[in-house]
Amino acid sequence: MFVTTSKSSHGEPVRVAIVGTGAIARVSHLPALTALSAAQPLKIVAAVDVDAASVEAFCAGAGIAHSYTDLDRMLAEQRPDLVTLATPPRFHRDQTVAALRAGAWVWCEKPPCPSLEDFDAMEEAEGSRGDGPYAAIVFQHRFGSGSRHVGGLLAGQAMGRPLVAHCQTTWYRDEAYYAAPWRGSWSSEGGGPAMGHGIHQMDLLLDLLGPWTEIRAMAGRLVHDVETEDVSTALVRFENGALATVVNSVLSPDEVSRIRIDCERATVELTHLYGHRNADWRITPAPGVASEEAAAWRDFGPDIPSSHEAQLTGLLEDLRAGRRPRSSGADGRKSLELVAALYKAAFTGGTVRAGEIGPGDPYYSALHGGAPGWAPEHLDKAAGVSA
C-alpha cells in the first residue's frame, strides 16, 4: 500500500535521504540539496551506504543526523519523502522499487539501470493514483536556461524545420580509469561510453528533437581490454525527418561534448564538457534572416546553468504538487531505449526501429543482448562461443 508523500504546503519540509555516499553524492547531490534547503523547507534526514565508515563520515561532515547501512531499515524508520540514489546502476532497480513501495519519490542517478526490463519494473512500482510516488532519472543536461530556450525555439519552429544534427561525446579515459575492477563490465557499469558517458548528450538531443524512428550503428573495442565498447557511432532518423550522427568515445584526448542542429533558417550549436551555460550556445542565422529576429533567438535571458540543482528544483515543485516530473516514466525511459537500440544495431548489424525492443527480445533484458564477442565471457561460453 502506498503512502502519499505529496507536499501541498510549502511550509512542510520535504524529508530527503541520500543513498550512496561516493563521489557523485558528495560533488553533486549533497551540494544541490544543501543549496535548495537554504531557500525552501527541505531537510536531509538520513544517508545510506554499505560502507559504515563512509556513511558516518559523510553524515558527520554534512550535519546529517542519521546514518544507515541498511536501506529498508532507513525507509521504515525515517519515512523520507524523497530518496536520491547515487549508487552504481546495478542496484538502481531494487533500491528504486523499495523506496517507491515505502511511499518515497526517487531521484535516480544515471545510467538509470542495466536494462529496459529493469526500468519497466521500476516504473511499475510507481504510484497508480496520479499523485506519485514517481521515480525520475538524473538527466541534468536538459535542464537550465539554455536548453529551455533552444527547446522552445525548436518546438515552435522559429528557426524552421530541424534537418541535420550531430551529437558528440568524445572524452578520454586511460588505463588507470579501467584499472578499477568494476569498470568496463556490463554487470557493474551497465555499458560502455554510449551508456555511461554519452547518454547525457543523447538524452538532450532527444529532448530537443523529439521521438526517433530508426537507428543504425557500429561499436568497437579499439584500445581497452573490456567487456563493453570503448567507441560507438550511429545514424539516427527522427520522426520529424531530421537525420543525426551520434559519436560516443572514451578515446579522445581533446575532450568535448557537443550538439549541433541545422535548421532551415539557422544552426544552433552547444559546445561544453560536463555542463553548460548560456554562453556555451551559439546560434548562426541563415542568409536573409533579419538581424532583429536573430537577436531575439540569441536572447537566452538570465543564466541558469545545467546542473543537478536545476533539475532538482523542478522535481521538488512536482513532488509538492503531486504531479509526474520530467525525466520520469516514458520521458525518462526514452534515452535508455535509444541506448539499447544502439547496442542492438551495432551488435547485429541491422536497423533497429523505435519500440521494437520488448519482452522476449534479448536486448530487453540485457544491453549486450547475449551477442557473441560482446556478452560477458560466461554467457558466450554457455552459448558455445569462445569469447
Side-chain angles (χ1 to χ4, degrees):
M1 180 176 179
F2 288 105
V3 179
T4 181
T5 59
S6 300
K7 300 290 184 179
S8 58
S9 169
H10 281 260
E12 187 177 355
V14 173
R15 295 167 55 83
V16 183
I18 300 174
V19 180
T21 58
I24 195 67
R26 295 192 305 269
V27 173
S28 298
H29 288 229
L30 180 60
L33 289 164
T34 301
L36 291 172
S37 68
Q40 61 180 273
L42 183 153
K43 183 177 181 180
I44 306 174
V45 297
V48 183
D49 199 290
V50 293
D51 186 328
S54 175
V55 69
E56 288 169 7
F58 182 85
C59 288
I64 300 171
H66 303 284
S67 64
Y68 291 85
T69 57
D70 185 279
L71 174 62
D72 291 331
R73 181 182 172 190
M74 184 280 292
L75 292 170
E77 294 182 359
Q78 297 302 321
R79 302 185 69 81
D81 302 306
L82 173 65
V83 170
T84 75
L85 294 183
T87 52
R90 68 180 183 274
F91 301 120
H92 288 173
R93 172 178 175 169
D94 290 344
Q95 291 173 341
T96 296
V97 170
L100 289 169
R101 288 179 175 169
W105 287 44
V106 176
W107 194 39
C108 178
E109 190 59 58
K110 69 83 192 169
C113 50
S115 71
L116 289 169
E117 181 179 42
D118 288 334
F119 191 96
D120 290 347
M122 290 161 53
E123 188 176 355
E124 186 177 352
E126 292 181 333
S128 58
R129 298 179 304 183
D131 62 352
Y134 297 114
I137 309 303
V138 177
F139 282 132
Q140 76 273 18
H141 286 205
R142 65 158 95 165
F143 294 83
S145 53
S147 54
R148 182 177 65 243
H149 177 69
V150 171
L153 293 176
L154 291 168
Q157 293 198 0
M159 299 177 293
R161 291 183 301 119
L163 304 172
V164 183
H166 306 277
C167 180
Q168 176 184 352
T169 305
T170 44
W171 295 355
Y172 186 77
R173 298 295 183 264
D174 58 15
E175 291 183 5
Y177 175 85
Y178 284 104
W182 57 274
R183 291 251 168 81
S185 74
W186 294 104
S187 63
S188 54
E189 277 206 297
M195 177 67 157
H197 305 85
I199 193 171
H200 272 308
Q201 297 315 297
M202 294 164 71
D203 178 76
L204 179 54
L205 184 72
L206 289 173
D207 201 53
L208 294 173
L209 287 185
W212 61 279
T213 59
E214 62 178 286
I215 183 172
R216 304 175 186 179
M218 293 187 293
R221 296 187 196 100
L222 304 187
V223 173
H224 300 291
D225 183 15
V226 292
E227 286 183 350
T228 66
E229 86 288 2
D230 56 17
V231 62
S232 67
T233 63
L235 301 174
V236 184
R237 187 187 305 274
F238 283 81
E239 198 172 273
N240 60 19
L243 300 178
T245 63
V246 178
V247 179
N248 302 302
S249 165
V250 289
L251 309 178
S252 310
D254 183 8
E255 295 186 295
V256 69
S257 303
R258 178 180 290 121
I259 285 179
R260 170 176 167 146
I261 302 173
D262 297 321
C263 300
E264 291 175 305
R265 305 180 65 224
T267 291
V268 58
E269 186 170 13
L270 168 65
T271 304
H272 66 115
L273 188 53
Y274 299 135
H276 52 83
R277 309 180 69 98
N278 287 351
D280 297 317
W281 295 82
R282 183 167 61 108
I283 296 179
T284 304
V289 172
S291 59
E292 296 81 6
E293 187 174 17
W297 295 343
R298 291 167 173 155
D299 183 4
F300 283 69
D303 191 8
I304 301 174
S306 68
S307 65
H308 283 69
E309 183 178 341
Q311 181 175 359
L312 188 56
T313 298
L315 176 62
L316 288 167
E317 292 175 355
D318 294 330
L319 187 154
R320 288 190 170 95
R323 61 178 176 245
R324 178 176 288 282
R326 291 180 63 195
S327 195
S328 70
D331 188 43
R333 187 185 192 271
K334 62 188 181 184
S335 298
L336 182 61
E337 183 189 6
L338 182 60
V339 171
L342 185 154
Y343 283 129
K344 181 177 181 179
F347 299 162
T348 63
T351 298
V352 177
R353 289 172 173 78
E356 78 170 50
I357 301 177
D361 189 305
Y363 290 88
Y364 178 72
S365 55
L367 292 182
H368 55 69
W374 287 104
E377 185 176 357
H378 68 279
L379 294 181
D380 278 348
K381 288 182 176 179
V385 178
S386 176

